[in-house]
Amino acid sequence: QVQLVESGGGLVQPGGSLRLSCAVSGSIFSINSMGWFRQAPGKERELVASIITIGRPNYADSVKGRFTISRDYARNRVYLQMNSLKPEDTAVYYCNAELRTGPSRANFNEFWGQGTLVTVSS
């Protein structure tokens, strides 16, 4: 079974940095895209950044210039480097992957991790 496990969250001062990691494991035929979402207290879940196999990374306007998403294809991992963190970045961050567990379109699915909490506060 496919599993996504996030790590790297924690408490950081405003202006500080954190790097989140997500490891994907299980029976995987191919990975189309990987990304990060977040959900702040009292708000809806939103896309932070995503990256596909062929293409350029996509970022939410609120994090452009501060966050960088990268992908390790050999290890099935995706990272989110977060710099110049702001209190409004406080949220639970979720790893996401769109992948195939088989060769047909019917095997295409979206998977989520359990989330890791990022708190930006003094």
Side-chain angles (χ1 to χ4, degrees):
Q1 185 174 354
V2 175
Q3 290 186 315
L4 281 67
V5 180
E6 304 100 333
S7 62
L11 175 64
V12 65
Q13 299 284 331
S17 299
L18 282 175
R19 189 178 75 161
L20 305 183
S21 299
C22 175
V24 183
S25 63
S27 181
I28 302 170
F29 181 79
S30 64
I31 298 177
N32 181 57
S33 68
M34 301 183 73
W36 291 93
F37 288 71
R38 69 185 181 187
Q39 187 166 18
K43 298 182 179 179
E44 296 184 350
R45 188 174 299 186
E46 64 176 346
L47 173 68
V48 177
S50 64
I51 185 168
I52 61 176
T53 304
I54 302 176
R56 289 176 287 185
N58 179 55
Y59 297 97
D61 289 340
S62 60
V63 307
K64 286 182 178 178
R66 299 189 298 120
F67 291 11
T68 302
I69 187 170
S70 60
R71 181 174 166 183
D72 186 333
Y73 294 92
R75 299 172 63 190
N76 288 336
R77 298 181 71 92
V78 65
Y79 305 91
L80 185 67
Q81 178 65 47
M82 305 184 293
N83 299 325
S84 301
L85 283 162
K86 304 175 181 179
E88 51 262 43
D89 294 318
T90 296
V92 176
Y93 284 72
Y94 297 91
C95 181
N96 170 269
E98 293 179 324
L99 55 82
R100 286 189 169 90
T101 55
S104 70
R105 288 281 187 175
N107 301 126
F108 184 81
N109 281 295
E110 186 178 46
F111 296 87
W112 295 88
Q114 295 299 308
T116 184
L117 177 63
V118 172
T119 302
V120 185
S121 176
S122 60

